[in-house]
Amino acid sequence: MRERMLPWLVADWGNPSSRHSFGVKARTAIDHSREQVAHALGAKAERVVFTSGGTEANNLAVLGSARARRQHGVHILVGPAEHPSVRDPALALIDEGFDVEVGQLGSDGAFDIDAFLASVREDTVLVSLMLASNEHGSIYPVARVAAGVRRIAPHAHIHTDAVQALGKLEVDIVELGVDSVSISAHKVHGPKGTGALVLASELPIRPLVFGGGQEGAVRSGTENVAGIAGFGEAVQLADEALVTTRAHLSSLKQRLADGLAEIDGMRVLTPGGSKETLGSIAAVLVGGPPAEVYLHHLEERGILVSVGSACQAHKNEASPALLALGLSAEEARQVLRFSFSRESQVSEVDAALEVLQALAGELSTL
Ligand code: PLP
């Protein structure tokens, strides 16, 4: 990946919109990445819109598709545990006269597909349901939801945020039956600040950024050539490693869950008792003091974990996605988030378990 990115950072300064050979070289690099991303998602290359990351892709999907469909209705439905980059732009559309509904989970955190579909109306213009949760790894039945929405709401744009799922689950836009998919480079070891909204077909999307008409006039602005070059490569590598990555991550998460079962008061959250979750994310209810106390103790021993999600870090509030599982605000603050990648090792999980075992004794009296 480094080799793909480097020329655009140190020597090749051509603007991909320029007609001279330097520009053509940059355009060719972007188009190569476009093919790589499209191939991994079963999409057409010309339907890949590069953005500054998953956040922008989600904002573009939500705001751009709803505004383009206004003549068909004002109802919007978003999933119960969406990332703020889906939920917040949807809620912002209330000011523009849209009627926005946020789906609910069952009291045990289970996603009820019938209840979700019962909220879809004939005049629903947008449904957005994430493929996998960034906070606890739950996998949502996007394909079944998309099929159900199509039967009820003929004009709905169906979007899924697959930022966490990419590289860990199959993400095929045709099999999912959705209109758009958001992805982000840094979740597959690509460069931060690059992502894409991938469309299933030529659909009306109102741009958020107007200007020179790049990216099919959906997202103007000179492209981040180095970022996009690295993104394409990272997506291809993640796609090639998908089957082994998936098995590896599941076994790491299972090992963590089995180890925690031996520690009093700690457990991996399994919303709705879900059997199949993303192996890359484990939300661990630690009990006792707020999880942040554990985070610092773990860090002192070289183990880096998160509290809630990185995206929530700028907002001093309990995570709505954790509250949606039926946790109290106090419990939501007792949740540590372990993330594994294809490079994570069994020995690292064992080391974390050893530290947690020791901390459980030390900290439970605080
Ligand atoms: N959606 C989900 C599910 C995420 O986990 C994240 C980031 O972690 C995003 C969207 C935002 O992506 P980005 O950080 O590329 O803006």
Side-chain angles (χ1 to χ4, degrees):
M1 190 179 73
R2 188 171 175 274
E3 288 67 39
R4 278 286 312 277
M5 293 181 69
L6 214 52
W8 314 105
L9 295 169
V10 299
D12 289 329
W13 306 120
N15 184 325
S17 296
S18 298
R19 301 291 165 91
H20 52 60
S21 58
F22 252 38
V24 171
K25 194 172 172 194
R27 168 69 44 212
T28 305
I30 291 177
D31 286 343
H32 180 63
S33 288
R34 210 184 291 289
E35 294 284 350
Q36 289 173 303
V37 169
H39 181 74
L41 273 76
K44 292 201 168 72
E46 63 271 26
R47 302 281 170 256
V48 175
V49 179
F50 286 118
T51 64
S52 63
T55 296
E56 188 191 330
N58 281 339
N59 272 261
L60 179 59
V62 171
L63 300 171
S65 67
R67 286 172 181 159
R69 278 170 176 70
R70 208 189 156 108
Q71 76 275 23
H72 298 298
V74 291
H75 182 245
I76 291 172
L77 177 64
V78 299
E82 294 302 304
H83 187 268
S85 57
V86 167
R87 195 187 57 238
D88 291 355
L91 293 175
L93 284 169
I94 294 172
D95 288 347
E96 297 180 24
F98 284 90
D99 177 5
V100 181
E101 240 179 289
V102 178
Q104 301 294 314
L105 291 175
S107 55
D108 59 350
F111 177 81
D112 180 339
I113 185 165
D114 295 328
F116 189 72
L117 287 175
S119 298
V120 179
R121 311 189 321 212
E122 203 184 336
D123 69 334
T124 300
V125 286
L126 168 67
V127 175
S128 187
L129 178 67
M130 72 196 326
L131 192 48
S133 159
N134 51 310
E135 299 210 39
H136 40 74
S138 286
I139 298 169
Y140 295 101
V142 170
R144 284 165 57 214
V145 166
V149 172
R150 297 261 182 246
R151 284 195 289 272
I152 307 164
H155 299 293
H157 180 102
I158 306 172
H159 169 255
T160 189
D161 172 354
V163 165
Q164 289 291 339
L166 187 70
K168 289 116 197 168
L169 282 185
E170 174 99 22
V171 182
D172 184 298
I173 197 165
V174 177
E175 280 175 22
L176 288 169
V178 296
D179 295 310
S180 62
V181 178
S182 299
I183 55 171
S184 174
H186 69 103
K187 299 297 179 198
V188 286
H189 302 278
K192 289 171 186 60
T194 310
L197 181 67
V198 181
L199 298 163
S201 56
E202 197 173 349
L203 292 162
I205 294 270
R206 285 267 188 90
L208 305 183
V209 183
F210 294 85
Q214 290 90 341
E215 296 301 296
V218 178
R219 202 278 188 177
S220 286
T222 300
E223 296 90 338
N224 170 2
V225 186
I228 291 171
F231 184 23
E233 200 68 8
V235 170
Q236 183 175 327
L237 290 173
D239 193 40
E240 286 165 0
L242 181 63
V243 175
T244 45
T245 302
R246 196 171 172 175
H248 177 59
L249 295 175
S250 298
S251 76
L252 292 179
K253 185 167 174 177
Q254 191 56 51
R255 197 173 179 93
L256 181 73
D258 292 346
L260 287 173
E262 308 288 312
I263 306 177
D264 238 11
M266 291 194 190
R267 66 186 165 92
V268 172
L269 294 176
T270 50
S274 43
K275 293 266 174 303
E276 222 214 337
T277 61
L278 275 193
S280 51
I281 294 171
V284 174
L285 186 61
V286 286
E292 186 145 2
V293 177
Y294 283 87
L295 178 146
H296 295 304
H297 281 271
L298 284 160
E299 182 165 24
E300 276 170 21
R301 291 151 170 98
I303 296 160
L304 306 184
V305 297
S306 308
V307 174
S309 73
C311 321
Q312 206 64 33
H314 302 286
K315 299 182 179 176
N316 191 21
E317 58 182 35
S319 151
L322 293 178
L323 296 177
L325 300 184
L327 298 184
S328 66
E330 191 189 351
E331 286 170 326
R333 290 196 170 83
Q334 295 172 335
V335 174
L336 277 181
R337 180 180 185 269
F338 285 75
S339 304
F340 304 122
S341 82
R342 59 179 190 255
E343 292 173 8
S344 303
Q345 306 287 326
V346 168
S347 58
E348 292 171 318
V349 175
D350 291 346
L353 282 167
E354 216 171 286
V355 177
L356 285 171
Q357 177 87 58
L359 286 178
E362 271 174 47
L363 299 179
S364 59
T365 50
L366 286 184

mmCIF file of all heavy atoms in Angstrom, residues 52-56 58 83 85 130 132-134 161 163-164 183-187 193-194 311 337, ligand 1:
data_model
loop_
_atom_site.group_PDB
_atom_site.id
_atom_site.type_symbol
_atom_site.label_atom_id
_atom_site.label_comp_id
_atom_site.label_asym_id
_atom_site.label_seq_id
_atom_site.Cartn_x
_atom_site.Cartn_y
_atom_site.Cartn_z
ATOM 1 N N SER A 52 -14.268 11.899 1.774
ATOM 2 C CA SER A 52 -13.213 12.086 2.781
ATOM 3 C C SER A 52 -13.321 11.045 3.902
ATOM 4 O O SER A 52 -12.656 11.191 4.919
ATOM 5 C CB SER A 52 -13.331 13.483 3.391
ATOM 6 O OG SER A 52 -14.579 13.601 4.059
ATOM 7 N N GLY A 53 -14.172 10.043 3.745
ATOM 8 C CA GLY A 53 -14.266 8.994 4.766
ATOM 9 C C GLY A 53 -15.690 8.495 4.923
ATOM 10 O O GLY A 53 -16.592 8.870 4.145
ATOM 11 N N GLY A 54 -15.887 7.653 5.926
ATOM 12 C CA GLY A 54 -17.206 7.077 6.167
ATOM 13 C C GLY A 54 -18.222 8.126 6.601
ATOM 14 O O GLY A 54 -19.390 8.066 6.218
ATOM 15 N N THR A 55 -17.770 9.089 7.366
ATOM 16 C CA THR A 55 -18.685 10.131 7.853
ATOM 17 C C THR A 55 -19.293 10.892 6.682
ATOM 18 O O THR A 55 -20.517 11.077 6.606
ATOM 19 C CB THR A 55 -17.921 11.099 8.783
ATOM 20 O OG1 THR A 55 -17.478 10.360 9.925
ATOM 21 C CG2 THR A 55 -18.794 12.263 9.216
ATOM 22 N N GLU A 56 -18.456 11.321 5.763
ATOM 23 C CA GLU A 56 -18.984 12.077 4.624
ATOM 24 C C GLU A 56 -19.853 11.183 3.741
ATOM 25 O O GLU A 56 -20.899 11.625 3.242
ATOM 26 C CB GLU A 56 -17.847 12.686 3.793
ATOM 27 C CG GLU A 56 -18.395 13.634 2.741
ATOM 28 C CD GLU A 56 -17.358 14.069 1.722
ATOM 29 O OE1 GLU A 56 -16.164 14.158 2.043
ATOM 30 O OE2 GLU A 56 -17.784 14.320 0.575
ATOM 31 N N ASN A 58 -21.713 8.699 4.671
ATOM 32 C CA ASN A 58 -23.015 8.553 5.334
ATOM 33 C C ASN A 58 -23.847 9.827 5.221
ATOM 34 O O ASN A 58 -25.049 9.785 4.951
ATOM 35 C CB ASN A 58 -22.818 8.193 6.814
ATOM 36 C CG ASN A 58 -22.499 6.717 7.008
ATOM 37 O OD1 ASN A 58 -22.781 5.895 6.144
ATOM 38 N ND2 ASN A 58 -21.904 6.378 8.142
ATOM 39 N N HIS A 83 -24.464 4.806 13.578
ATOM 40 C CA HIS A 83 -23.351 5.712 13.875
ATOM 41 C C HIS A 83 -23.884 7.149 13.798
ATOM 42 O O HIS A 83 -24.785 7.430 13.002
ATOM 43 C CB HIS A 83 -22.273 5.468 12.803
ATOM 44 C CG HIS A 83 -21.006 6.191 13.054
ATOM 45 N ND1 HIS A 83 -20.749 7.447 12.551
ATOM 46 C CD2 HIS A 83 -19.903 5.831 13.760
ATOM 47 C CE1 HIS A 83 -19.531 7.821 12.935
ATOM 48 N NE2 HIS A 83 -19.007 6.858 13.662
ATOM 49 N N SER A 85 -22.901 9.571 12.292
ATOM 50 C CA SER A 85 -22.832 10.169 10.949
ATOM 51 C C SER A 85 -23.999 9.760 10.068
ATOM 52 O O SER A 85 -24.164 10.277 8.959
ATOM 53 C CB SER A 85 -21.495 9.835 10.270
ATOM 54 O OG SER A 85 -21.308 8.438 10.188
ATOM 55 N N MET A 130 -27.405 0.019 9.446
ATOM 56 C CA MET A 130 -25.992 -0.377 9.358
ATOM 57 C C MET A 130 -25.862 -1.882 9.215
ATOM 58 O O MET A 130 -26.716 -2.646 9.674
ATOM 59 C CB MET A 130 -25.210 0.140 10.574
ATOM 60 C CG MET A 130 -25.510 -0.584 11.845
ATOM 61 S SD MET A 130 -24.977 0.262 13.380
ATOM 62 C CE MET A 130 -23.493 1.101 12.971
ATOM 63 N N ALA A 132 -23.172 -3.654 10.332
ATOM 64 C CA ALA A 132 -22.631 -4.182 11.591
ATOM 65 C C ALA A 132 -22.293 -3.016 12.510
ATOM 66 O O ALA A 132 -21.826 -1.970 12.060
ATOM 67 C CB ALA A 132 -21.390 -5.019 11.326
ATOM 68 N N SER A 133 -22.543 -3.234 13.782
ATOM 69 C CA SER A 133 -22.374 -2.158 14.761
ATOM 70 C C SER A 133 -20.917 -1.909 15.113
ATOM 71 O O SER A 133 -20.150 -2.853 15.325
ATOM 72 C CB SER A 133 -23.147 -2.505 16.034
ATOM 73 O OG SER A 133 -22.633 -1.771 17.125
ATOM 74 N N ASN A 134 -20.566 -0.631 15.224
ATOM 75 C CA ASN A 134 -19.215 -0.260 15.626
ATOM 76 C C ASN A 134 -19.034 -0.365 17.136
ATOM 77 O O ASN A 134 -17.929 -0.263 17.634
ATOM 78 C CB ASN A 134 -18.910 1.184 15.196
ATOM 79 C CG ASN A 134 -19.970 2.161 15.638
ATOM 80 O OD1 ASN A 134 -21.163 1.937 15.416
ATOM 81 N ND2 ASN A 134 -19.581 3.245 16.262
ATOM 82 N N ASP A 161 -24.607 1.374 6.125
ATOM 83 C CA ASP A 161 -23.278 1.795 6.565
ATOM 84 C C ASP A 161 -22.489 0.511 6.810
ATOM 85 O O ASP A 161 -22.734 -0.214 7.772
ATOM 86 C CB ASP A 161 -23.453 2.626 7.847
ATOM 87 C CG ASP A 161 -22.124 2.963 8.518
ATOM 88 O OD1 ASP A 161 -21.082 2.460 8.070
ATOM 89 O OD2 ASP A 161 -22.154 3.720 9.499
ATOM 90 N N VAL A 163 -19.155 0.429 7.080
ATOM 91 C CA VAL A 163 -17.798 0.838 7.473
ATOM 92 C C VAL A 163 -17.127 -0.236 8.334
ATOM 93 O O VAL A 163 -15.970 -0.582 8.121
ATOM 94 C CB VAL A 163 -17.853 2.206 8.198
ATOM 95 C CG1 VAL A 163 -16.548 2.496 8.935
ATOM 96 C CG2 VAL A 163 -18.156 3.319 7.204
ATOM 97 N N GLN A 164 -17.848 -0.771 9.302
ATOM 98 C CA GLN A 164 -17.240 -1.781 10.182
ATOM 99 C C GLN A 164 -17.214 -3.154 9.528
ATOM 100 O O GLN A 164 -16.376 -3.985 9.854
ATOM 101 C CB GLN A 164 -18.016 -1.873 11.503
ATOM 102 C CG GLN A 164 -17.831 -0.683 12.403
ATOM 103 C CD GLN A 164 -16.429 -0.566 12.980
ATOM 104 O OE1 GLN A 164 -15.675 -1.539 13.036
ATOM 105 N NE2 GLN A 164 -16.072 0.625 13.414
ATOM 106 N N ILE A 183 -18.356 3.063 2.946
ATOM 107 C CA ILE A 183 -17.168 2.355 3.453
ATOM 108 C C ILE A 183 -16.074 3.384 3.767
ATOM 109 O O ILE A 183 -16.139 4.534 3.323
ATOM 110 C CB ILE A 183 -16.634 1.302 2.451
ATOM 111 C CG1 ILE A 183 -16.359 1.939 1.087
ATOM 112 C CG2 ILE A 183 -17.606 0.141 2.313
ATOM 113 C CD1 ILE A 183 -15.636 1.002 0.119
ATOM 114 N N SER A 184 -15.089 2.935 4.539
ATOM 115 C CA SER A 184 -14.025 3.841 4.953
ATOM 116 C C SER A 184 -12.689 3.100 4.896
ATOM 117 O O SER A 184 -12.601 1.936 5.309
ATOM 118 C CB SER A 184 -14.309 4.317 6.378
ATOM 119 O OG SER A 184 -13.243 5.077 6.872
ATOM 120 N N ALA A 185 -11.649 3.801 4.430
ATOM 121 C CA ALA A 185 -10.356 3.133 4.223
ATOM 122 C C ALA A 185 -9.698 2.677 5.520
ATOM 123 O O ALA A 185 -9.111 1.608 5.590
ATOM 124 C CB ALA A 185 -9.407 4.086 3.485
ATOM 125 N N HIS A 186 -9.825 3.486 6.578
ATOM 126 C CA HIS A 186 -8.988 3.176 7.743
ATOM 127 C C HIS A 186 -9.481 1.963 8.526
ATOM 128 O O HIS A 186 -8.787 1.480 9.407
ATOM 129 C CB HIS A 186 -8.788 4.407 8.637
ATOM 130 C CG HIS A 186 -9.978 4.900 9.388
ATOM 131 N ND1 HIS A 186 -10.147 4.664 10.721
ATOM 132 C CD2 HIS A 186 -11.033 5.631 9.003
ATOM 133 C CE1 HIS A 186 -11.261 5.251 11.129
ATOM 134 N NE2 HIS A 186 -11.822 5.843 10.100
ATOM 135 N N LYS A 187 -10.655 1.446 8.187
ATOM 136 C CA LYS A 187 -11.110 0.219 8.859
ATOM 137 C C LYS A 187 -10.521 -1.027 8.213
ATOM 138 O O LYS A 187 -10.710 -2.131 8.708
ATOM 139 C CB LYS A 187 -12.642 0.125 8.830
ATOM 140 C CG LYS A 187 -13.330 1.264 9.542
ATOM 141 C CD LYS A 187 -13.007 1.299 11.014
ATOM 142 C CE LYS A 187 -13.697 2.478 11.670
ATOM 143 N NZ LYS A 187 -13.157 2.839 12.951
ATOM 144 N N GLY A 193 -9.073 9.332 6.443
ATOM 145 C CA GLY A 193 -9.521 10.475 5.660
ATOM 146 C C GLY A 193 -9.877 10.133 4.230
ATOM 147 O O GLY A 193 -9.867 11.006 3.359
ATOM 148 N N THR A 194 -10.180 8.879 3.968
ATOM 149 C CA THR A 194 -10.630 8.466 2.629
ATOM 150 C C THR A 194 -11.749 7.439 2.789
ATOM 151 O O THR A 194 -11.682 6.579 3.663
ATOM 152 C CB THR A 194 -9.490 7.798 1.821
ATOM 153 O OG1 THR A 194 -8.342 8.638 1.886
ATOM 154 C CG2 THR A 194 -9.875 7.611 0.370
ATOM 155 N N CYS A 311 -15.832 7.581 17.958
ATOM 156 C CA CYS A 311 -16.678 8.624 17.386
ATOM 157 C C CYS A 311 -17.486 9.332 18.458
ATOM 158 O O CYS A 311 -17.985 10.418 18.268
ATOM 159 C CB CYS A 311 -17.625 8.017 16.367
ATOM 160 S SG CYS A 311 -16.826 6.762 15.401
ATOM 161 N N ARG A 337 -14.342 -1.369 24.944
ATOM 162 C CA ARG A 337 -14.476 -1.879 23.577
ATOM 163 C C ARG A 337 -13.126 -2.411 23.118
ATOM 164 O O ARG A 337 -12.154 -1.662 23.025
ATOM 165 C CB ARG A 337 -14.925 -0.725 22.687
ATOM 166 C CG ARG A 337 -15.129 -1.042 21.238
ATOM 167 C CD ARG A 337 -15.576 0.265 20.586
ATOM 168 N NE ARG A 337 -15.938 0.112 19.207
ATOM 169 C CZ ARG A 337 -15.083 0.262 18.205
ATOM 170 N NH1 ARG A 337 -13.819 0.521 18.437
ATOM 171 N NH2 ARG A 337 -15.517 0.156 16.969
HETATM 172 N N1 PLP B 1 -19.731 4.372 10.449
HETATM 173 C C1 PLP B 1 -19.252 3.507 11.347
HETATM 174 C C2 PLP B 1 -20.054 2.286 11.675
HETATM 175 C C3 PLP B 1 -18.016 3.728 11.973
HETATM 176 O O1 PLP B 1 -17.558 2.871 12.869
HETATM 177 C C4 PLP B 1 -17.289 4.908 11.617
HETATM 178 C C5 PLP B 1 -15.994 5.208 12.233
HETATM 179 O O2 PLP B 1 -15.490 4.527 13.074
HETATM 180 C C6 PLP B 1 -17.834 5.769 10.662
HETATM 181 C C7 PLP B 1 -19.051 5.469 10.093
HETATM 182 C C8 PLP B 1 -17.117 7.023 10.265
HETATM 183 O O3 PLP B 1 -16.079 6.737 9.382
HETATM 184 P P1 PLP B 1 -14.843 7.746 9.238
HETATM 185 O O4 PLP B 1 -14.067 7.625 10.510
HETATM 186 O O5 PLP B 1 -14.097 7.257 8.054
HETATM 187 O O6 PLP B 1 -15.396 9.109 9.046
#
